[in-house]
Amino acid sequence: MTPLHLGHLSPVEQGLILLVAFGPFLLAAGVVLYLRATGVEEDEEPESTPT
């Protein structure tokens, strides 16, 4: 069986594929770097006191 090939992708299509493939990882890395730079920390759970 011969795979169907539709030809080469245009530069716009190549850019869209790269954006979809790597965009979420770049966005996540940007958010992590931003939160580290601004000093935002995770909320600590309050210590439970025995009653």
Side-chain angles (χ1 to χ4, degrees):
M1 178 175 206
T2 305
L4 299 176
H5 191 274
L6 300 177
H8 295 287
L9 297 175
S10 72
V12 173
E13 292 170 329
Q14 288 178 350
L16 286 174
I17 288 176
L18 289 174
L19 181 66
V20 169
F22 297 109
F25 298 107
L26 294 175
L27 180 64
V31 168
V32 169
L33 292 174
Y34 172 76
L35 291 177
R36 285 186 181 176
T38 58
V40 176
E41 297 180 3
E42 292 183 24
D43 293 335
E44 295 181 7
E45 294 184 22
E47 295 180 14
S48 60
T49 56
T51 56

